[in-house]
Amino acid sequence: MAKILIVEDNAANMRLACLLLTQAGHSVLCARDAETGLALARNDQPQLILMDIQLPGMDGLAATSLLKGDAQTAAIPVIALTAMAMKEDREKTRLAGCNAYITKPLRYKELYEVIDTLLATDLPQ
């Protein structure tokens, strides 16, 4: 399965995402802030990133923009995780470079479906 980076500052949300991903057979990298997430993305080259939008310090949109602007990490698909569910919030994530958008609380079927779709289309064959 895939190596997936989770960037999430909320401990309960992090535990849930880790549990869901490991149960699906993925290996998981964890970061509690954007700066750590950027470093892990560059150094460990995950196949996919789950990015919380509301992070302390640098937010997830700024971090995604940096990832997409870096040749080392630009091709890694990013799924925005957010409690904000307004149409304009979805547009902001798209403009920052996110490949998909999932609202919290996480629903495992939706999470698995989005991950499977992105991995099928974005992983090199």
Side-chain angles (χ1 to χ4, degrees):
M1 297 303 287
K3 180 176 13 174
I4 298 177
L5 169 60
I6 305 167
V7 184
E8 170 64 69
D9 65 316
N10 179 285
N13 290 340
M14 178 69 85
R15 280 193 303 276
L16 176 60
C18 285
L19 176 69
L20 292 173
L21 294 175
T22 55
Q23 284 184 339
H26 299 292
S27 61
V28 178
L29 301 167
C30 300
R32 297 218 181 267
D33 58 61
E35 292 81 2
T36 305
L38 290 170
L40 284 171
R42 288 184 191 112
N43 296 332
D44 293 297
Q45 293 291 299
Q47 281 103 2
L48 188 128
I49 299 171
L50 297 179
M51 180 71 72
D52 183 23
I53 298 307
Q54 294 180 308
L55 293 167
M58 180 189 309
D59 71 23
L61 296 177
T64 298
S65 293
L66 289 172
L67 289 167
K68 295 302 183 172
D70 182 338
Q72 246 187 311
T73 55
I76 302 171
V78 177
I79 300 172
L81 299 177
T82 182
M84 302 179 296
M86 304 301 289
K87 185 177 179 182
E88 55 271 10
D89 296 320
R90 183 179 297 260
E91 181 64 12
K92 286 179 190 174
T93 64
R94 189 189 65 74
L95 291 172
C98 294
N99 302 83
Y101 175 98
I102 296 177
T103 57
K104 295 177 189 175
L106 286 178
R107 290 168 301 284
Y108 76 94
K109 288 181 182 179
E110 178 186 19
L111 179 66
Y112 293 158
E113 183 179 299
V114 172
I115 288 172
D116 289 347
T117 299
L118 287 175
L119 291 177
T121 57
D122 289 327
L123 278 181
Q125 300 300 319

